[in-house]
């Protein structure tokens, strides 16, 4: 899942200070409501959720918390777009590797992150913010199944 809607008047000013939300682009009020709504719909539809992992940025952690409750933070999910070409390729590959290592069969594991990582790791460009990208694991393959736009969830 790409993080929910952000406040575009804010900018990431220091990519290595993940706990300082004042130096990051954060969720907007609309984004907070969006994440809560998606989480409630997932619960209402009884979509089974397994492990939830988040990028260390404040916007992704807040999205994970509001939508899913419990989550872990993984530095390998950090925003790759601002990195050098070698590092952003590695971060994309790290996401693919993490997805291949999932073991849940009865539940859906969730990675809350950023658009560039998904593009670099799996060739999918998740737009807009708040989109949920669905993959199916089949053996060692990760198969793209589609995207659920934030406004496509049932009311």
């Amino acid at each position: 899942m790409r993080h929910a809607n952000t406040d575009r008047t804010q900018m990431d000013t220091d990519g290595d200070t993940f706990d300082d939300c004042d130096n990051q682009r954060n969720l907007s009020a609309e984004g907070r409501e969006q994440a809560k709504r998606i989480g409630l719909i997932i619960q209402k539809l009884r979509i089974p959720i397994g492990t939830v992992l988040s990028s260390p940025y404040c916007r992704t952690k807040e999205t994970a918390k509001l939508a899913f409750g419990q989550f872990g933070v993984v530095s390998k999910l950090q925003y790759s777009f601002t990195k050098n070409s070698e590092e952003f390729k590695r971060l994309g590959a790290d996401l693919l590797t993490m997805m291949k290592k999932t073991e849940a069969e009865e539940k859906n594991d969730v990675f809350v992150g950023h658009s560039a990582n998904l593009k670099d790791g799996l060739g999918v460009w998740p737009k807009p913010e708040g989109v949920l990208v669905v993959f199916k694991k089949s053996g060692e393959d990760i198969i793209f199944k589609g995207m659920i736009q934030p406004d496509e969830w049932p009311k």
Side-chain angles (χ1 to χ4, degrees):
M1 178 178 186
R2 185 176 180 199
H3 58 77
N5 286 345
T6 58
D7 181 345
R8 292 295 184 159
T9 65
Q10 299 172 335
M11 300 272 299
D12 293 326
T13 58
D14 184 357
D16 295 328
T17 311
F18 300 118
D19 292 329
D20 185 358
C21 297
D22 291 335
N23 288 318
Q24 298 178 36
R25 192 175 82 236
N26 297 295
L27 294 186
S28 62
E30 176 188 354
R32 287 183 193 89
E33 290 304 313
Q34 182 184 66
K36 287 180 202 175
R37 183 175 54 80
I38 290 170
L40 288 172
I41 295 167
I42 287 171
Q43 285 180 1
K44 188 174 183 177
L45 294 174
R46 295 189 175 138
I47 297 171
I49 301 297
T51 301
V52 177
L53 298 175
S54 171
S55 158
Y57 283 82
C58 295
R59 61 185 171 268
T60 54
K61 293 187 293 187
E62 189 172 18
T63 298
K65 181 179 179 182
L66 293 171
F68 304 103
Q70 298 290 323
F71 66 96
V73 176
V74 178
S75 65
K76 290 181 178 183
L77 290 173
Q78 66 183 278
Y79 188 44
S80 66
F81 190 73
T82 59
K83 309 295 182 191
N84 64 48
S85 63
E86 183 177 304
E87 193 170 6
F88 77 67
K89 286 178 187 175
R90 182 187 54 79
L91 289 168
D94 287 344
L95 173 59
L96 178 59
T97 299
M98 284 188 277
M99 291 174 74
K100 286 182 175 185
K101 288 183 179 179
T102 60
E103 296 181 11
E105 292 187 24
E106 304 286 325
K107 295 183 178 183
N108 299 283
D109 288 340
V110 179
F111 298 88
V112 182
H114 309 274
S115 58
N117 302 56
L118 205 51
K119 181 182 174 290
D120 297 334
L122 292 112
V124 175
W125 190 249
K127 295 280 187 175
E129 293 176 328
V131 67
L132 194 103
V133 185
V134 181
F135 293 90
K136 179 179 181 178
K137 182 179 174 185
S138 178
E140 284 294 310
D141 296 326
I142 302 295
I143 302 161
F144 173 69
K145 300 301 279 184
M147 292 190 230
I148 304 171
Q149 303 290 324
D151 61 353
E152 292 177 331
W153 290 95
K155 302 292 181 212

